Amino acid sequence: MNKKFISVMLGLSIATGSFTTFAADAVSGASSTTTSTTKPSTSTAKPSTSTAKPSTSTAKPSTSTTKPSTSTAKPSTSTAKPSTSTSKPSATTSSVNKPGEVYVVKAGDVLSRIAVKYGMTYQEIATYNNIKNPHLIYVGQKIVIPVKTTQTTPKPAETKPTTTVEKPVEVKPEVKPEVVTPAPEVDVVTSASVANDMIQLEKALSTEGTWIICAKGDLTIDKEIIVEGEFRNKNNPEDKIARKLALYDQDENKNVTASHTLTAPKMIVKSENFKIQEGTFVGDIYVDAPGFTLVNTQVEGNIYFTKEAYRKSFVLQKEAKVTGSIITGTEVDSVSGASLATDEASLEKALGNKWIITLKEDITTDKEIVMSGRFEKQDKKDATKVVAGRKLALYDQDENKKVTASYTLQAPKLTVKSTNAKIQEGTFVGDIYVEAPGFSLVRTTVEGNVYFAKEAYMRTADLSQGTVKGEVAVKTEGIDAVTGASFATEESKLHMALSQEGTWIICATDDFTTDKEIVVEGEFRNKNKPENDIYRKLALYNQDSGKNVIETYVLTSPKMIVKSENFKIQEGTFVGDIYVEAPGFTLTNVTVEGNIYFAKEAYKETFKLEQDAKVIGSLLEAK
């Protein structure tokens, strides 16, 4: 064999080795390492035939094997060109990126890991998708994975005369390892919940959320936001308790690139060491935990602290500011537990779900407003009890409960159906229709009339602290349960109303419990008219102008003695035993949790159960 040819063949070797790839994790700061080792490659030269003279000489096959090399060869293919009178055209190649698979980002993804999965660099994917910050991607984001294709451009053929033909030797390409530089830690997304809408934000701020929450754009919600749960800084169990709401975007160098606005009527902070950073919060904040901090954030509203200690631990950093007041106290009366109304829509919603409704500015509506439903609050005289009540607050106040602003509410009509409803401060422009007991005005001006559906509602009302520029009158049509009635707003009044000095109808306005026996006595006529039948009624309910029952009550006593003829108990529940000493006793849609004793069989024979009335105990003859 030609020695020169053998020398050339032996000089062909394939470099092999190992490589390590580092995948940068922009969220956890971790790096994953992958090691790949190539096996030795064997190249065998096939026999070549040389024809120089009429005689033919054939060379035996020669095999040359290279040893593993520690150097890394670039991907390449080397082919020995056959030497003939005319050579085949050679080609040049170039890479072109075309659209390929669409990848949807999942929780925990970083661009570098996605790139490794598809055999690319994160810079290539970021460039193709026009991602300005490759270290900041979001759950649900769609990323197009480009596909590399090769274009071949033919070259003119070259002619070299020769009599020797060699078959090409194919060298297998090696993949050059991708080296990814670890991304810098970006604090705003480390182990964060990224909130693109209010549903995501509420979940992220709950006890099931994360230590850091990032808003991605301006967000508005019409209900209160609650921040609760204990979390550690960067989720490190050994680190301090901390939580953060980031109202901004930032680049890989932690430079803020955009600030966002979060709007809500109320934010309640129950997480210790909670921080709001950058951006703007529009609404009031109620702080019920220590360590609350604002960093370069503007709060367009008030901040209320439930304890003085929480206020003392409050920190304003950088350019943070509060446009409203900073108030401390366990009871901020005008706003505690309130629904805040800033426009017609929020007012309508507030009237349906909270015992106290607080205006934050003047509101005008062309619709009727209705205060309905039963709501309870703590009794100021006895903290262990709750009483029915409702309040419309037309004002703001400071930490000393001094009124700082009063507002005007204008509507064609306000109908009050809630027991013990109150309007405090400010001005109401329109007429008020009262269909429940206990209505009151406190330093409020009514530029209109106040009408009571029944005289009894008017008797229980207190307008002495307010001003009514129109008339105050009773409209008798409407509610049967209160016409000429006595309203029992406390135990002593209940006993008086059921006595001989009482009235034909007695209306409970709330649940009552007494440890004394109740005596019903005296003769009365239906609706107090002499020509009507003897009749008396205890109404354990409240109803609207359409005579629809809107709430029922429970009366508890060890014993009730009925001495009035044709006495009826309607709706609600009586807990205790009843002793009947007169004819015509009737129960209408009421439950008696006890026994009923009749002094005579004749009284039992005239006893009636109407509608869904029931007696849980027994009907017995008194001994």
Side-chain angles (χ1 to χ4, degrees), residues 175-230:
V175 178
K176 184 179 179 180
E178 174 201 2
V179 179
V180 180
T181 303
E185 179 187 358
V186 183
D187 179 64
V188 77
V189 294
T190 306
S191 302
S193 284
V194 177
N196 294 296
D197 55 42
M198 288 312 305
I199 295 176
Q200 293 177 346
L201 180 68
E202 285 184 281
K203 184 176 181 180
L205 289 167
S206 71
T207 54
E208 305 301 320
T210 57
W211 81 276
I212 184 169
I213 305 95
C214 304
K216 306 307 296 181
D218 297 339
L219 298 173
T220 299
I221 187 172
D222 60 359
K223 59 181 178 179
E224 65 184 27
I225 300 171
I226 301 177
V227 184
E228 56 186 339
E230 182 179 292

Side-chain angles (χ1 to χ4, degrees), residues 116-176:
V116 170
K117 178 179 179 180
Y118 290 96
M120 306 187 73
T121 66
Y122 74 86
Q123 293 92 339
E124 289 175 324
I125 295 179
T127 300
Y128 190 83
N129 288 270
N130 195 27
I131 298 175
K132 294 181 180 180
N133 184 357
H135 309 301
L136 193 60
I137 57 177
Y138 315 113
V139 175
Q141 184 176 354
K142 294 181 179 180
I143 297 176
V144 179
I145 307 300
V147 177
K148 292 184 178 181
T149 59
T150 303
Q151 292 182 341
T152 303
T153 305
K155 288 185 177 181
E158 295 181 3
T159 303
K160 291 183 180 180
T162 183
T163 57
T164 303
V165 178
E166 298 177 1
K167 290 186 177 182
V169 178
E170 181 181 353
V171 180
K172 295 182 179 181
E174 285 191 39
V175 178
K176 184 179 179 180

Side-chain angles (χ1 to χ4, degrees), residues 549-588:
V549 175
I550 56 176
E551 56 188 346
T552 59
Y553 309 114
V554 178
L555 174 59
T556 302
S557 171
K559 183 178 182 180
M560 176 188 288
I561 302 173
V562 178
K563 296 183 178 182
S564 291
E565 186 177 350
N566 296 332
F567 178 65
K568 176 192 288 188
I569 304 177
Q570 187 167 337
E571 302 291 340
T573 302
F574 177 77
V575 180
D577 293 333
I578 300 176
Y579 291 77
V580 182
E581 298 180 4
F585 179 56
T586 303
L587 298 177
T588 303

